[in-house]
Amino acid sequence: RKEVEQDPGPFNVPEGATVAFNCTYSNSASQSFFWYRQDCRKEPKLLMSVYSSGNEDGRFTAQLNRASQYISLLIRDSKLSDSATYLCVVFNAGNMLTFGGGTRLMVKP
Amino acid sequence: GAVVSQHPSRVICKSGTSVKIECRSLDFQATTMFWYRQFPKQSLMLMATSNEGSKATYEQGVEKDKFLINHASLTLSTLTVTSAHPEDSSFYICSARGPNDHRADTQYFGPGTRLTVL
C-alpha cells in the first residue's frame, strides 16, 4: 500500500464549478500535511497547509481528519488557471516529505 | 521566499555517458538538500538526502554508485547520473532546507532538470 494515496483523475470540470480532492495516508504518526500544486514540467509549489480545524485561503479550503487519516482539498469557483496536478504531501518524523501520486484537474471554459 | 536554482534545466545525452546536475541555494545556506525523481504521470520519489559535508543517505532501491551525490558546500549539491541509460530519463528535482528550517513548508524546490537519454 502506498503511503499517500490519491485518485489520479483527471477531473474535468467547467469554469465556476466546485471540485473536491481526497487523499489518504497510512502512517498514523505523520506530523503535518500539505497540498502542493504542480504545473506540467515544473516543480511543485506549496499551495497550503492542512490543519484539523480546517483552513481556508480564498477559494481553497483544506481539511484534515486524523482519525480517518484523510485529507481533502476543495476548490470553489474554478478558474482556467487552476488546471494543474494537485499533490497531497505528508511530513513525517524523519523530516521528509512524502508525495502522493497527484490528482490532475482540467478546468474547461 | 528562498530561491533554489538547478542547472541545466534540460539535457539530452547518449546512452553510456554521465550527466551532472547542479542544485544551488541562492540566498540561504542549505544544510540539507534532497534529490527527487519524477517519471511521467507519477509523483516525486525521494532518491537521497544529503547533508553538507557528509555522505548522502539513499532511499531503498536507489543505486548510490549510479547516482553520485556531492554536497561539498552550503550552497551547492550535485547529482551525477553515471553511465546513463534510457530508463534514467526523468525529471530530476532538488530541494533545499536551511539549518533552522525543520518545517516542511521551509523546504524549497528547484525548477527541475529534464534528462533525456537516447
Side-chain angles (χ1 to χ4, degrees):
Chain A
R1 183 186 171 191
K2 292 181 181 176
E3 191 167 339
V4 182
E5 296 210 56
Q6 295 180 248
D7 179 345
F11 284 59
N12 295 299
V13 304
E15 266 187 296
T18 295
V19 61
F21 305 140
N22 303 320
C23 166
T24 57
Y25 61 96
S26 61
N27 186 347
S28 60
S30 298
Q31 296 182 327
S32 47
F33 310 87
F34 305 88
W35 283 101
Y36 277 69
R37 170 192 169 129
Q38 186 176 26
D39 293 290
C40 189
R41 298 174 180 262
K42 300 283 188 181
E43 76 276 24
K45 293 186 177 176
L46 179 64
L47 180 65
M48 60 196 304
S49 303
V50 189
Y51 306 115
S52 296
S53 55
N55 51 306
E56 188 174 311
D57 183 2
R59 297 180 294 108
F60 298 83
T61 301
Q63 187 76 52
L64 165 67
N65 184 322
R66 280 193 182 270
S68 302
Q69 294 180 202
Y70 172 96
I71 303 159
S72 65
L73 176 68
L74 183 76
I75 304 175
R76 290 181 299 277
D77 189 22
S78 299
K79 310 290 184 192
L80 295 176
S81 57
D82 293 335
S83 298
T85 297
Y86 291 84
L87 304 169
C88 177
V89 183
V90 172
F91 186 63
N92 293 319
N95 281 343
M96 292 196 303
L97 296 177
T98 300
F99 288 80
T103 298
R104 191 169 170 216
L105 172 65
M106 306 263 305
V107 181
K108 305 202 171 178
Chain B
V3 179
V4 175
S5 71
Q6 274 184 248
H7 178 79
S9 58
R10 189 168 189 159
V11 57
I12 301 172
C13 69
K14 292 182 179 179
S15 185
T17 60
S18 294
V19 175
K20 180 185 283 190
I21 302 169
E22 294 185 348
C23 177
R24 292 181 185 272
S25 57
L26 299 183
D27 53 1
F28 68 103
Q29 293 185 328
T31 48
T32 305
M33 286 188 170
F34 305 87
W35 286 96
Y36 295 85
R37 179 169 55 181
Q38 185 176 34
F39 292 108
K41 298 190 177 180
Q42 294 186 29
S43 193
L44 280 74
M45 296 299 296
L46 180 65
M47 298 175 69
T49 302
S50 75
N51 292 298
E52 185 265 337
S54 60
K55 288 184 179 179
T57 302
Y58 290 80
E59 295 300 302
Q60 192 173 11
V62 178
E63 299 174 56
K64 61 181 181 182
D65 294 329
K66 181 170 179 64
F67 299 99
L68 302 178
I69 292 172
N70 184 288
H71 190 171
S73 81
L74 285 171
T75 59
L76 174 65
S77 176
T78 60
L79 167 67
T80 302
V81 183
T82 61
S83 186
H85 290 283
E87 58 265 29
D88 297 323
S89 299
S90 188
F91 191 46
Y92 291 86
I93 306 174
C94 73
S95 70
R97 194 169 69 196
N100 299 314
D101 295 334
H102 299 294
R103 289 164 38 189
D105 53 358
T106 52
Q107 187 173 321
Y108 304 101
F109 285 85
T113 296
R114 188 159 301 278
L115 169 64
T116 303
V117 185
L118 302 175

